[in-house]
Amino acid sequence: MMNKIELVFDKLWQQYTEESPEALKIYNLFKENGEDNIVNDHVAFRTFDDPRVDVDTLGKFFIELGYEEKGDYHFPVKKLYAKHYEHKSDATMPKVFISHLLTKEFSALVQEQAKLCVDQIATSELNSIELLSSGVHWDLDYDVYQKLLAESEYAAWMYVFGFRANHFTVFVNHLKTLKSVEEINQFLKAKGLTLNSSGGEIKGTPAELLEQSSTMANKVPVKFRQGTFEVLNSYYEFARRYPDASGKLYTGFIAASADKIFESTNVK
Ligand code: OOG
Ligand code: NI
């Protein structure tokens, strides 16, 4: 029997793998390679800074499930802010990384669009954890998408995909056959997959206690008012953690690395 939290993550995983089939393909490649215990390091969400849906508002759903706030992160160039959450007592539960777009630092168009999007969400949906996998609540317009894209890749992604897990992350420490991020990267490239190479294929170092890599998001067809267009959807991430001086595995995130991981959904 799955508990409440497991049910929430299971639903998010089903949605993620349906909407991002490449993640499921990689998961299955790992299984075929002998990995029978693929553990998630973290699950990431994106949102707008509108107080009805911002980081703290989504974070509250996890706090109600026994999570607590741990670290926060600033991304001044991308104009994003994020927090990470960890389960208070069950270390096997994935960490949660939630970021939001600082809409006020963008044009009136971005601010108005973000507000229009959130205005479409019913109050009952705003108050339910189901919001996390509720997708878009608004009609998609390709011109709006392109205008948002011109200002922020993140804003455009959020407009097209809305509320869902942006990505799941394999916890490399728990793998048996692929023991390092480097080995995973070689494995994926040999299978013809494309990695995010912004800032190098491996983000972070053992000295920083966290190494990460990710695939580039793959394109999926999306229906807009004007017709169907291909849009970059989502990626899969791999994280290896190292123990700190006290011997405890580092559980935080590195803003400089995360900054590059965000670019896994970049069009350009
Ligand atoms: C999140 C990017 C950052 C990490 O693990 O550093 C991240 C996103 O693309 O929404 O996931
Ligand atoms: Ni991540």
Side-chain angles (χ1 to χ4, degrees):
M1 268 285 281
M2 279 195 258
N3 65 31
K4 179 96 204 291
I5 311 176
E6 287 166 333
L7 285 169
V8 168
F9 285 118
D10 187 62
K11 184 168 181 191
L12 288 159
W13 172 257
Q14 296 307 329
Q15 178 185 37
Y16 169 67
T17 50
E18 258 167 48
E19 296 182 14
S20 312
E22 195 176 276
L24 186 60
K25 180 178 147 186
I26 295 168
Y27 179 87
N28 287 331
L29 285 172
F30 278 20
K31 289 240 144 161
E32 282 164 29
N33 203 53
E35 298 298 347
D36 50 20
N37 185 34
I38 302 170
V39 174
N40 291 309
D41 174 73
H42 67 270
V43 182
F45 298 87
R46 294 179 176 184
T47 189
F48 297 120
D49 63 352
D50 188 306
R52 293 172 288 178
V53 296
D54 66 3
V55 165
D56 289 330
T57 303
L58 300 192
K60 229 180 77 206
F61 293 127
F62 289 98
I63 287 172
E64 282 162 7
L65 290 171
Y67 276 72
E68 62 187 348
E69 230 179 88
K70 283 290 189 178
D72 75 333
Y73 311 90
H74 295 269
F75 304 95
V77 177
K78 292 186 173 63
K79 298 166 185 167
L80 303 171
Y81 172 71
K83 280 186 180 173
H84 103 262
Y85 299 79
E86 293 174 26
H87 196 277
K88 268 193 263 185
S89 55
D90 188 349
T92 68
M93 286 297 141
K95 291 169 275 297
V96 169
F97 182 94
I98 312 175
S99 58
H100 68 206
L101 185 75
L102 301 170
T103 55
K104 286 162 206 73
E105 298 189 19
F106 290 90
S107 72
L109 176 124
V110 171
Q111 296 182 39
E112 279 158 23
Q113 277 305 324
K115 183 181 179 303
L116 275 174
C117 288
V118 181
D119 284 348
Q120 308 296 308
I121 311 173
T123 312
S124 58
E125 288 183 288
L126 286 171
N127 296 323
S128 155
I129 192 163
E130 301 289 317
L131 178 68
L132 295 174
S133 53
S134 62
V136 292
H137 301 248
W138 45 88
D139 292 330
L140 294 176
D141 183 297
Y142 199 65
D143 295 332
V144 171
Y145 167 70
Q146 291 203 302
K147 282 184 185 139
L148 293 175
L149 191 58
E151 287 194 56
S152 161
E153 298 267 1
Y154 183 107
W157 188 93
M158 191 56 207
Y159 176 69
V160 171
F161 299 108
F163 299 92
R164 47 162 282 178
N166 172 273
H167 63 273
F168 278 68
T169 305
V170 175
F171 201 166
V172 177
N173 302 51
H174 293 274
L175 296 180
K176 289 188 304 198
T177 60
L178 299 160
K179 294 215 160 287
S180 66
V181 174
E182 175 62 27
E183 273 179 55
I184 290 173
N185 289 352
Q186 293 313 325
F187 177 83
L188 296 174
K189 285 195 281 186
K191 304 283 182 193
L193 293 149
T194 308
L195 298 177
N196 170 352
S197 58
S198 175
E201 286 177 354
I202 301 178
K203 283 88 172 138
T205 61
E208 289 173 292
L209 310 181
L210 175 61
E211 289 180 300
Q212 293 163 279
S213 77
S214 62
T215 58
M216 278 309 280
N218 52 311
K219 282 190 172 152
V220 297
V222 174
K223 277 201 191 88
F224 291 85
R225 194 170 59 78
Q226 295 87 343
T228 300
F229 297 90
E230 302 257 291
V231 179
L232 283 181
N233 170 274
S234 210
Y235 59 90
Y236 207 10
E237 188 192 319
F238 314 92
R240 180 178 182 186
R241 296 183 179 274
Y242 292 85
D244 62 18
S246 74
K248 191 183 163 291
L249 220 51
Y250 177 67
T251 56
F253 290 80
I254 310 284
S257 301
D259 190 76
K260 301 291 177 243
I261 298 275
F262 276 114
E263 295 174 18
S264 311
T265 52
N266 273 18
V267 174
K268 289 151 259 173

